[in-house]
Amino acid sequence: MMYSAMMEVLRMDEKLVPVVCPYCGVGCRLYIRSSDGHPLGIEYANDIPGISNENGKLCPKGNAVLEYVLARDRLKKPLKAKEQGKFVEISWSQAIKEVAERLKEYSKDDPNSMMFFGSAKTFNEPNYLIQKLARMLGTNNVDHCARLCHASTVSGLKAVFGAGAMTNTYRDIEEANVIFIIGHNFAETHPVGFRYVLKAKERGAKVIVADPRFTRTAWFADIYLQHYPGTDIALINGLIHVIIEERLYDEKFVRERCTGFDELAKTVEKFTPGYVEKITGVPADLIVQAARTFATGGKGVITWAMGITQHTHGHDNVRLLATLSAICGYQGREGCGVSPMRGQNNVQGACDLGVLPNVFPGYKAVSDPEGRKFFEEFWGTELSGEVGLTVIEAAHAIEKGKVRAYYVMGENPVISDANTNHVIKALHKLEFMVVQDIVPTPTMEFADIVLPAAAMLENEGSLTNTERRVQWSFQAINPPGEARPDWWIVSEIGKAAGFTGDGPKGFNYSGPEDILREVNACTPQYRGITPERLKANLAGIHWPCPSEDHPGTRVLYKERFLTSDGKAHLAAVEYRGPAETPDEDYPFLLTTVRYVGHYHTLTMTGRSRALVKRWPEPLAEIHPEDAERLGIKTGDWVKIVTRRGEYPIRAKVTRTVKKGVIAVPWHWGANVVTNDALDPVAKIPETKACACKVVKITEEEARELMKKVPPVIPEIEIVRG
Ligand SMILES: Nc1nc2c(c(=O)[nH]1)N[C@H]1C(S)=C(S)[C@@H](COP(=O)(O)OP(=O)(O)OC[C@H]3O[C@@H](n4cnc5c(=O)[nH]c(N)nc54)[C@H](O)[C@@H]3O)O[C@H]1N2
Ligand SMILES: Nc1nc2c(c(=O)[nH]1)N[C@H]1C(S)=C(S)[C@@H](COP(=O)(O)OP(=O)(O)OC[C@H]3O[C@@H](n4cnc5c(=O)[nH]c(N)nc54)[C@H](O)[C@@H]3O)O[C@H]1N2
Ligand code: SF4
Ligand SMILES: [Mo]
């Protein structure tokens, strides 16, 4: 392979180590050039065929990947709290003993008084272990940030197709004739993946974008639909209405492979383009044009992300998009499919390996006695069949005294959960909290014990990108101080908690390879994805991969869907808007968004000088007419006020948003104002639409208000041990 050829140009003491980018779900590969465990720089992996980032290209975050790893304030020793936010250093043996003993006590008393958070920011192996630990301690209370993200995709696609993953790969996007991008700022949030859209466009493919904001993605649209936040059900029903009315759907595919068409046709009858225009604000003729373009493309892909999922009707939004894809016959074929673009670098893997309260690894339901029996025999213990709590439900359960202990591996709920003030109130009531992270976070302020983790580049293992592509990332550099790999930390706690059986019955592992082999044995989709194969094949393997000689699967559902009857169960859905709509007191509709140069709660990009310099602060997008009425100019301070809190931010007056809509990036703590109302099925909070008002304030008032927003880089006192 070319990779070894490149090795030859290195100095004797230098290594070129292939890793996977620790940021987003595109799963780009790059090399870290290192010497004796110290990083010297990055190199583009332009010599590995078949990877998701062709020619090794990276986005701004991937290019800056070493900066957060080298941050001066990395956690280097286990810590114990003396009081809130003040810690003393302790030894690993003491930390592990204390955590294991406390967890055992809760397990004996009431296992459901504990809640475990896995992490889409770390490898498959520690994620497999954290859910195994929770379940062996007697609870299914285990979840992770997928709940705030694609929970509705997982539930919605399961309802229609029988399983919740992307049905195709990036290559299928490149080969499509029409690409419908909805609620997804593809160009900013999966920038390297977006290159496949551009390549399709060069071939003549048409791009349709639906987004309440005129985004960087919208610049590339042939047809752009600007609807109000929260009106997606009406918009998609409108498209389906036109497609059925004009008989543009694939009648053979519908007859042979779908159920529920008649009810769908009846439900969308009233969603005429004119009616839909009234709800969504999208001109009727554009709806007709978009529907015709999509249905007649011959090969079509739909991509979506948070604009679709983060709603109280996220589950139904997703069911409708799957329905739209199926009636056009865009399933089971190359150049077609649905691409819910997974966000975190390993959120797909964390879901696959059971870091969810309702399923074991491989999506076997905890409530299904047969699946439970398999894992009871495999792990050699009795397991609970009671579906556990989700992220937001857990915060409510603390208030009721039901949950008393949290183990948070690689999540930052104080900034990432909706309705921060409620989250903080709940965390104050916890009896015991463990935080396992790489840097101090505002969540860590509430911890009793802090466990310092090695970052992805300091560690090795497998991870799964949005295309179901499982890749191995190698260790490039040494972790700082006494920071340890996540798999090591969880397995030590497992052993100290008394799970010392052999093989799968305990937590005795010599490395991530051992753990992946255990995953191979209990997760049918990963059966043939062994550590040996992954290390030899840097482009990875797409699950399902049922055996060691199977090449992996690019396109799902070629013959049948995974529902009980093998058919796609089309969804018929009545229109529902967001839980909170504008009124006299809160006249604006607020939505929250991302910037290409920043990542989530800023624990990583906030520690990169290059990125902070280029993207220094958040700006609230507001329409010129609204701004004029309120006397606001670009750069003025405003506060966004909702029923849950107030958020100070400077304004950017722009026509990217419609009148009445405010768009705010959430990286810097905007969740103090968002709504934690949940989708009844997916249990995802509605962070994409709520009612707010906008009030002009002075810089001094802004500074005062800022003190009430948790700082993304907190002040934490550590007494050296
Ligand atoms: N740079 C960067 N990249 C990232 C991340 C990051 O933090 N930074 N995070 C990663 C993760 S975990 C995820 S999940 C993805 C998220 O990726 P995206 O979902 O693309 O990101 P967002 O900006 O949250 O939201 C996407 C779009 O939804 C639109 N929107 C708002 N309300 C609505 C609505 O009601 N309906 C519709 N249809 N659209 C609406 C917004 O205007 C926005 O343009 O990005 C991943 N990649
Ligand atoms: N208002 C609003 N809120 C949102 C969203 C939105 O669009 N709007 N989006 C939601 C979405 S899509 C998501 S995915 C969530 C994300 O929510 P979180 O997962 O809570 O956010 P992150 O900042 O990614 O937090 C990951 C944590 O893991 C740590 N970490 C990084 N690498 C490692 C590692 O190797 N090991 C360990 N142990 N820790 C590590 C980081 O320092 C950080 O503290 O936020 C959600 N919140
Ligand atoms: S697109 Fe995603 S995976 Fe690729 S370099 Fe950027 S952040 Fe990393
Ligand atoms: Mo996400």
Side-chain angles (χ1 to χ4, degrees):
M1 159 187 311
M2 298 261 301
Y3 161 58
S4 47
M6 270 185 83
M7 300 275 280
E8 283 164 24
V9 302
L10 297 170
R11 280 200 333 247
M12 285 285 284
D13 60 327
E14 285 180 15
K15 280 202 296 191
L16 214 47
V17 182
V19 300
V20 175
C21 174
Y23 281 112
C24 90
V26 178
C28 297
R29 267 221 184 268
L30 65 148
Y31 294 120
I32 304 294
R33 187 185 276 261
S34 69
S35 167
D36 197 21
H38 299 288
L40 302 173
I42 65 161
E43 301 277 351
Y44 280 18
N46 55 9
D47 58 344
I48 309 174
I51 54 177
S52 52
N53 55 325
E54 273 187 326
N55 303 321
K57 293 255 165 34
L58 302 171
C59 81
K61 297 179 298 303
N63 278 301
V65 86
L66 281 174
E67 288 192 79
Y68 80 88
V69 181
L70 297 172
R72 288 235 298 268
D73 63 345
R74 285 286 306 277
L75 295 168
K76 298 185 187 80
K77 280 201 75 138
L79 306 172
K80 181 175 171 150
K82 291 175 70 173
E83 54 188 275
Q84 197 191 320
K86 289 199 174 135
F87 297 90
V88 282
E89 292 180 340
I90 56 173
S91 67
W92 268 112
S93 55
Q94 188 186 347
I96 285 174
K97 188 162 166 265
E98 282 204 28
V99 174
E101 273 173 9
R102 290 297 292 268
L103 295 183
K104 268 195 307 191
E105 278 166 28
Y106 287 109
S107 165
K108 226 183 196 171
D109 182 29
D110 171 14
N112 289 335
S113 63
M114 294 178 284
M115 176 76 198
F116 291 79
F117 292 76
S119 177
K121 288 246 75 65
T122 186
F123 295 103
N124 284 326
E125 292 73 23
N127 275 299
Y128 171 78
L129 291 190
I130 195 103
Q131 60 83 36
K132 175 174 168 179
L133 179 65
R135 292 185 160 124
M136 286 182 79
L137 286 166
T139 183
N140 287 313
N141 286 350
V142 57
D143 203 8
H144 73 292
C145 70
R147 186 66 49 200
L148 313 170
C149 181
H150 270 294
S152 5
T153 296
V154 175
S155 66
L157 286 186
K158 185 158 193 342
V160 180
F161 297 148
M166 190 157 143
T167 62
N168 55 336
T169 65
Y170 281 128
R171 246 173 79 196
D172 297 293
I173 295 180
E174 183 182 341
E175 291 173 13
N177 297 333
V178 55
I179 302 162
F180 179 30
I181 302 170
I182 178 164
H184 179 201
N185 191 0
F186 207 157
E188 283 212 56
T189 57
H190 300 88
V192 176
F194 191 65
R195 296 175 63 83
Y196 293 91
V197 175
L198 300 180
K199 284 173 87 173
K201 239 181 114 74
E202 274 166 27
R203 270 190 28 248
K206 292 277 178 286
V207 175
I208 305 166
V209 172
D211 196 301
R213 264 189 326 146
F214 188 82
T215 58
R216 290 182 188 210
T217 310
W219 276 103
F220 297 94
D222 295 284
I223 300 173
Y224 170 56
L225 313 172
Q226 187 170 38
H227 56 310
Y228 287 111
T231 62
D232 294 272
I233 290 181
L235 182 66
I236 308 164
N237 272 346
L239 297 172
I240 296 176
H241 170 98
V242 175
I243 290 168
I244 293 181
E245 173 96 357
E246 300 190 3
R247 297 191 80 93
L248 302 175
Y249 59 96
D250 185 334
E251 289 185 42
K252 184 163 179 281
F253 192 89
V254 166
R255 198 172 49 244
E256 290 173 2
R257 298 201 51 191
C258 304
T259 63
F261 184 78
D262 293 342
E263 206 192 329
L264 170 68
K266 214 166 89 205
T267 308
V268 298
E269 222 168 274
K270 71 166 181 274
F271 287 86
T272 59
Y275 176 60
V276 172
E277 173 173 340
K278 283 198 195 104
I279 301 173
T280 61
V282 179
D285 60 327
L286 269 189
I287 295 169
V288 175
Q289 211 185 318
R292 287 179 186 158
T293 306
F294 185 70
T296 59
K299 284 196 283 181
V301 168
I302 308 177
T303 87
W304 69 83
M306 300 303 99
I308 282 296
T309 59
Q310 293 172 333
H311 290 287
T312 46
H313 49 266
H315 172 78
D316 282 339
N317 283 348
V318 170
R319 287 203 304 149
L320 279 179
L321 288 175
T323 296
L324 172 63
S325 168
I327 62 166
C328 293
Y330 293 157
Q331 282 297 320
R333 288 159 53 202
E334 290 174 2
C336 293
V338 290
S339 298
M341 213 61 74
R342 301 308 294 256
Q344 296 257 38
N345 56 334
N346 197 29
V347 64
Q348 184 64 55
C351 289
D352 298 342
L353 299 188
V355 186
L356 295 170
N358 59 335
V359 288
F360 293 117
Y363 302 100
K364 289 193 189 88
V366 296
S367 52
D368 169 19
E370 221 170 278
R372 203 160 64 240
K373 190 158 159 267
F374 173 87
F375 280 99
E376 287 186 335
E377 280 169 16
F378 191 66
W379 290 332
T381 183
E382 218 178 289
L383 295 171
S384 162
E386 188 187 337
V387 171
L389 294 172
T390 61
V391 170
I392 302 284
E393 286 174 321
H396 286 278
I398 299 172
E399 286 194 315
K400 296 191 192 112
K402 285 192 180 150
V403 165
R404 290 177 286 142
Y406 260 30
Y407 185 149
V408 183
M409 171 175 84
E411 296 248 315
N412 192 6
V414 166
I415 305 290
S416 60
D417 276 8
N419 194 358
T420 310
N421 292 326
H422 177 260
V423 173
I424 288 180
K425 208 169 117 202
L427 291 183
H428 273 295
K429 284 203 180 160
L430 269 184
E431 281 174 16
F432 182 61
M433 173 147 132
V434 180
V435 167
Q436 180 170 323
D437 209 299
I438 57 171
V439 287
T441 66
T443 301
M444 177 184 143
E445 286 196 58
F446 297 90
D448 295 283
I449 301 279
V450 175
L451 305 172
M456 192 148 261
L457 310 180
E458 301 156 351
N459 198 347
E460 68 175 323
S462 68
L463 60 164
T464 309
N465 89 340
T466 183
E467 307 163 286
R468 296 171 274 108
R469 180 200 295 263
V470 190
Q471 306 182 89
W472 193 268
S473 188
F474 292 83
Q475 182 179 352
I477 50 181
N478 297 332
E482 294 178 21
R484 291 277 186 277
D486 287 301
W487 72 263
W488 181 89
I489 302 172
V490 184
S491 64
E492 289 301 307
I493 290 169
K495 281 186 283 186
F499 303 119
T500 51
D502 288 335
K505 301 195 167 49
F507 281 79
N508 224 330
Y509 302 101
S510 64
E513 292 86 348
D514 269 3
I515 304 167
L516 183 55
R517 279 183 210 108
E518 187 172 317
V519 168
N520 297 151
C522 68
T523 314
Q525 297 88 333
Y526 282 63
R527 180 87 69 217
I529 306 184
T530 61
E532 293 75 19
R533 283 186 80 189
L534 289 184
K535 286 182 185 184
N537 176 4
L538 293 183
I541 303 169
H542 301 273
W543 71 253
C545 174
S547 63
E548 278 192 51
D549 52 6
H550 190 283
T553 309
R554 173 175 156 191
V555 174
L556 300 182
Y557 316 138
K558 280 199 166 153
E559 268 128 44
R560 64 193 312 273
F561 293 99
L562 289 178
T563 49
S564 50
D565 57 5
K567 304 227 167 145
H569 297 179
L570 304 179
V573 179
E574 279 301 337
Y575 175 64
R576 284 186 339 270
E580 219 178 55
T581 47
D583 55 25
E584 257 178 39
D585 296 333
Y586 298 94
F588 285 96
L589 204 45
L590 170 72
T591 192
T592 56
V593 302
R594 291 166 158 77
Y595 288 166
V596 63
H598 277 302
Y599 202 80
H600 292 172
T601 67
L602 298 181
T603 63
M604 294 155 78
T605 53
R607 287 177 170 81
S608 156
R609 268 211 231 162
L611 296 173
V612 170
K613 193 168 170 209
R614 171 70 184 79
W615 288 273
E617 64 169 336
L619 294 171
E621 292 168 35
I622 179 168
H623 189 276
E625 286 178 34
D626 291 327
E628 196 184 323
R629 199 164 30 83
L630 297 170
I632 295 165
K633 291 189 303 301
T634 292
D636 285 349
W637 282 99
V638 297
K639 63 176 178 181
I640 310 285
V641 186
T642 69
R643 292 184 176 86
R644 293 154 296 278
E646 301 188 333
Y647 184 63
I649 182 169
R650 293 203 298 148
K652 179 178 174 182
V653 180
T654 165
R655 288 184 189 277
T656 52
V657 289
K658 263 180 153 56
K659 251 195 315 182
V661 175
I662 306 284
V664 168
W666 65 276
H667 305 293
W668 286 265
N671 271 319
V672 288
V673 290
T674 54
N675 194 355
D676 55 354
L678 300 183
D679 178 293
V681 182
K683 307 280 171 75
I684 190 170
E686 190 150 61
T687 39
K688 280 290 183 276
C690 72
C692 75
K693 67 180 160 199
V694 180
V695 181
K696 191 174 168 181
I697 55 173
T698 62
E699 188 165 351
E700 208 180 325
E701 284 169 309
R703 228 177 282 132
E704 273 311 299
L705 252 187
M706 207 84 82
K707 290 181 190 155
K708 294 190 193 148
V709 179
V712 284
I713 299 193
E715 277 177 34
I716 279 172
E717 195 183 311
I718 298 176
V719 179
R720 308 278 159 210

